[in-house]
Amino acid sequence: MPSRVRVWLNRTYAENVFFMDQLRRNPSDRAVEIHATHGDADSPVLAAADTADLEPEGLSPAAYVEYALDQCLRRGIDVFVPRLHQAAIVAHRAEFRAAGTALLAPTPEAVAVFEDKATAYEAARSVGVPVPPWWRVRTADELVAAVEELEAAGERACFKPASGAGGVGFRMITRAPFSLTHLSGFPGPYVQLDLVVEALRRAEEPVDWLVMPRLEQPEVSVDCLTGPDNRVRLVVGRTKNGRRRGFTLRERWLAPARLLAEGFGLHYLSNIQFRMHGDRPVLLDVNTRPAGGLHQLSLCGVNAPWAAVQMALGEDPGVIEPPFLGQDYTVVSAPRTLRPVSVPQQRTAQTPLPAVPAPADGVAREAGAPATAPA
């Protein structure tokens, strides 16, 4: 009987409770135990794990690598899926291998290219992947010049941090003066240009933003599984257009994603996002980690997390073709259990594994934020 596989997810998104569910429900019927660490004691991933630890705060990247190596040795980790401090961790792949742990993460070179969006756009453009027009700005004058150039071309300007994830810091520029209109309803992404310029002139340090046109829907999020040999084993697009979600195998989306994944060493699971600029798809972002919505590929009969773990263990799953494309769907709220107290409980040799909650085909979020799930 094959031995059980021990997988660790460090400070990851709450949606990855479904990543964990899929590992346990793997088609190989292999026993999987999951270790999770997080800085929030009420993170759903801690409740969903078999063992859990609170992560120490304030560690430098180098100190975090030492912490991670210790976790792998003490917990007998076979496969580590790093999100926090991914760049520092993959630079020490040989040390983790010596500890008996495989890293489910890309090469250091790939992480370096894509952790900075400006560098990512330059790299993508160099291999023929279409990118939107963009300006890297650090001062108020640079921001105004970029916005004026976009507006002269009939575009709506927006900006976002040159590095970051999850849409944090994304804003759309408006020249409409601030009024009570902006205080009605829910807060939106629009921000007045004059207020941004004033804030930049008062700031003590420069910012590092990308200014670009507002790209239109649909957004297509392409999930890739790529082997260490730089060959893609799985590539499927997830479409988003308002509430409606679906799947696509159209080459206009998959071909540029495949080109990036194979050309830049995006090994194991990556997620490459596109939106429309005019009548053509352009690159929006590249994530060198599994997407929060990766589990939605289960609606196409695909268990991507398990295929990735197999590959990390040296078991090539071969080319994976979705047996079908799931019907269009939307996301709705769904509850997810937490641990009974705000301190991660630890298994002992005498303590049985906690019961795994009934799987929910959806996306859970951190405590205090809405949970979403495919319906």
Side-chain angles (χ1 to χ4, degrees):
M1 177 181 295
S3 62
R4 66 99 172 94
V5 180
R6 186 84 162 133
V7 181
W8 173 26
L9 283 76
N10 75 339
R11 201 175 301 208
T12 190
Y13 302 108
E15 288 89 343
N16 275 327
V17 294
F18 303 110
F19 186 103
M20 298 157 73
D21 288 346
Q22 286 193 285
L23 290 182
R24 293 188 175 106
R25 301 197 305 269
N26 68 80
S28 302
D29 200 25
R30 188 92 171 263
V32 175
E33 289 186 8
I34 299 173
H35 180 56
T37 58
H38 206 285
D40 177 6
D42 287 330
S43 169
V45 298
L46 298 185
D50 299 307
T51 60
D53 279 329
L54 279 175
E55 292 189 357
E57 297 293 343
L59 293 182
S60 68
Y64 192 90
V65 170
E66 293 300 319
Y67 163 78
L69 283 165
D70 178 69
Q71 286 280 313
C72 289
L73 286 167
R74 289 194 301 110
R75 298 288 185 175
I77 302 300
D78 299 300
V79 179
F80 177 20
V81 188
R83 189 201 66 82
L84 183 66
H85 293 309
Q86 186 190 65
I89 289 165
V90 296
H92 293 267
R93 189 182 300 270
E95 294 170 49
F96 284 93
R97 186 184 299 116
T101 301
L103 295 182
L104 202 155
T107 65
E109 294 78 13
V111 174
V113 167
F114 295 110
E115 67 182 350
D116 180 283
K117 292 180 173 58
T119 305
Y121 284 170
E122 289 282 12
R125 184 163 56 187
S126 73
V127 295
V129 173
V131 300
W134 55 272
W135 291 258
R136 190 167 200 157
V137 306
R138 293 182 170 86
T139 67
D141 290 342
E142 290 176 347
L143 172 69
V144 171
V147 170
E148 288 178 345
E149 190 165 346
L150 279 169
E151 290 178 341
E155 305 271 19
R156 291 186 298 166
C158 63
F159 66 87
K160 58 185 178 181
S163 61
V168 174
F170 171 81
R171 297 292 186 275
M172 289 189 287
I173 292 289
T174 178
R175 290 184 183 266
F178 186 78
S179 67
L180 288 178
T181 302
H182 298 99
L183 300 177
S184 62
F186 293 103
Y190 286 94
V191 62
Q192 286 67 35
L193 178 61
D194 57 337
L195 296 181
V196 180
V197 169
E198 181 183 353
L200 283 174
R201 297 199 191 285
R202 291 200 314 266
E204 296 180 358
E205 297 180 357
V207 297
D208 190 7
W209 291 343
L210 290 192
V211 176
M212 54 193 296
R214 174 75 167 109
L215 303 177
E216 302 302 327
Q217 293 183 329
E219 179 177 319
V220 177
S221 187
V222 182
D223 295 308
C224 299
L225 173 62
T226 309
D229 57 0
N230 292 331
R231 289 194 301 109
V232 167
R233 305 303 201 276
L234 169 70
V235 57
V236 182
R238 291 182 287 112
T239 63
K240 304 176 185 180
N241 200 338
R243 284 184 179 271
R244 182 171 291 273
R245 310 292 178 92
F247 304 98
T248 181
L249 294 177
R250 293 184 65 188
E251 282 298 312
R252 73 183 309 203
W253 308 105
L254 271 54
R258 192 182 292 111
L259 188 61
L260 292 171
E262 293 183 339
F264 289 97
L266 287 170
H267 299 167
Y268 304 106
L269 292 169
S270 60
N271 176 258
I272 303 171
Q273 300 167 0
F274 301 90
R275 270 189 174 239
M276 299 298 294
H277 183 231
D279 60 356
R280 69 170 185 165
V282 295
L283 181 67
L284 176 63
D285 205 359
V286 177
N287 295 309
T288 59
R289 53 167 176 77
L294 178 68
H295 64 278
Q296 293 164 12
L297 294 187
S298 63
L299 299 177
C300 300
V302 172
N303 188 328
W306 177 246
V309 167
Q310 281 185 296
M311 184 170 287
L313 294 172
E315 306 165 8
D316 194 336
V319 175
I320 301 171
E321 297 285 351
F324 54 86
L325 291 185
Q327 67 183 46
D328 286 0
Y329 62 100
T330 188
V331 291
V332 295
S333 297
R336 189 79 188 191
T337 57
L338 294 177
R339 291 188 180 273
V341 292
S342 293
V343 176
Q345 297 174 348
Q346 301 302 309
R347 271 185 61 227
T348 66
Q350 292 76 34
T351 306
L353 293 177
V356 179
D361 286 326
V363 179
R365 300 190 184 278
E366 301 290 359
T372 55

